[in-house]
């Protein structure tokens, strides 16, 4: 058995694999955060999952309860029509990366083709959120 075959066999016996897809551009964002922490992407994602598993309570599960008052004020400031509020699971904004809106399960945005919306300007938020509907 050559070295490559040995490494492949070892990995098969000692590790499970999980593959998942991300919207274009998200992989680079994750890679950037991981490198700032001096971690590989795999180490970073595994650490996030382990943190949830160790606490016995998912931070993501807590967030799925809906957005808070501060986030509601952001939607008002961004002039997002109220009819879209029930479709939104979470949202955030950073000066460097822009506006992020995550839709609830069962909703999709036609512009992004997913539950995730990323925009750089508020005018884009209003235009793109208008293309959101139930699946």
């Amino acid at each position: 058995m050559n070295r490559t075959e040995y490494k492949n066999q070892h990995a098969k016996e000692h590790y499970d694999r999980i593959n998942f897809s991300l919207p274009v551009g998200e992989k680079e964002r994750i890679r950037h955060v991981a490198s700032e922490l001096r971690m590989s992407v795999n180490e970073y994602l595994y650490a996030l999952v382990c943190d949830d598993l160790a606490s016995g309570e998912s931070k993501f599960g807590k967030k799925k309860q809906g957005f808070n008052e501060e986030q509601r004020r952001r939607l008002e400031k961004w002039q997002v029509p109220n009819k879209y509020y029930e479709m939104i699971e979470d949202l955030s904004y950073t000066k460097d990366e822009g506006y992020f809106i995550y839709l609830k399960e069962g909703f999709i945005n036609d512009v992004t083709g997913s539950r995730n919306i990323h925009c750089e300007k508020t005018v884009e938020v209003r235009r793109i959120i208008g293309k959101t509907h139930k699946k």
Side-chain angles (χ1 to χ4, degrees), residues 38-87:
R38 297 189 176 175
M39 300 171 90
S40 70
V41 169
N42 192 69
E43 288 172 317
Y44 174 61
L45 294 175
Y46 185 60
L48 291 174
V49 170
C50 285
D51 187 48
D52 264 12
L53 294 174
S55 71
E57 209 172 45
S58 172
K59 291 177 190 164
F60 183 71
K62 285 181 179 178
K63 288 181 89 170
K64 289 182 82 99
Q65 314 260 327
F67 49 86
N68 60 35
E69 277 306 308
E70 178 187 335
Q71 291 171 315
R72 181 177 296 280
R73 284 191 293 275
R74 283 190 181 183
L75 287 173
E76 290 170 2
K77 183 178 177 182
W78 300 348
Q79 299 176 352
V80 171
N82 289 350
K83 67 182 183 181
Y84 297 105
Y85 287 22
E86 70 177 36
M87 302 177 191

Side-chain angles (χ1 to χ4, degrees), residues 16-121:
D16 287 327
R17 261 186 111 61
I18 298 175
N19 296 316
F20 64 99
S21 300
L22 302 165
V24 173
E26 294 299 303
K27 181 179 175 182
E28 192 52 45
R29 288 182 59 225
I30 293 169
R31 185 177 286 146
H32 176 74
V33 171
S35 71
E36 284 185 348
L37 296 170
R38 297 189 176 175
M39 300 171 90
S40 70
V41 169
N42 192 69
E43 288 172 317
Y44 174 61
L45 294 175
Y46 185 60
L48 291 174
V49 170
C50 285
D51 187 48
D52 264 12
L53 294 174
S55 71
E57 209 172 45
S58 172
K59 291 177 190 164
F60 183 71
K62 285 181 179 178
K63 288 181 89 170
K64 289 182 82 99
Q65 314 260 327
F67 49 86
N68 60 35
E69 277 306 308
E70 178 187 335
Q71 291 171 315
R72 181 177 296 280
R73 284 191 293 275
R74 283 190 181 183
L75 287 173
E76 290 170 2
K77 183 178 177 182
W78 300 348
Q79 299 176 352
V80 171
N82 289 350
K83 67 182 183 181
Y84 297 105
Y85 287 22
E86 70 177 36
M87 302 177 191
I88 299 171
E89 181 174 296
D90 196 14
L91 58 116
S92 63
Y93 168 78
T94 65
K95 187 177 180 179
D96 294 333
E97 297 179 14
Y99 304 86
F100 293 92
I101 296 177
Y102 305 96
L103 303 173
K104 291 180 180 174
E105 186 74 39
F107 293 94
I108 191 162
N109 182 271
D110 289 339
V111 176
T112 64
S114 72
R115 292 173 46 203
N116 301 319
I117 299 171
H118 174 227
C119 304
E120 294 182 7
K121 298 180 180 181

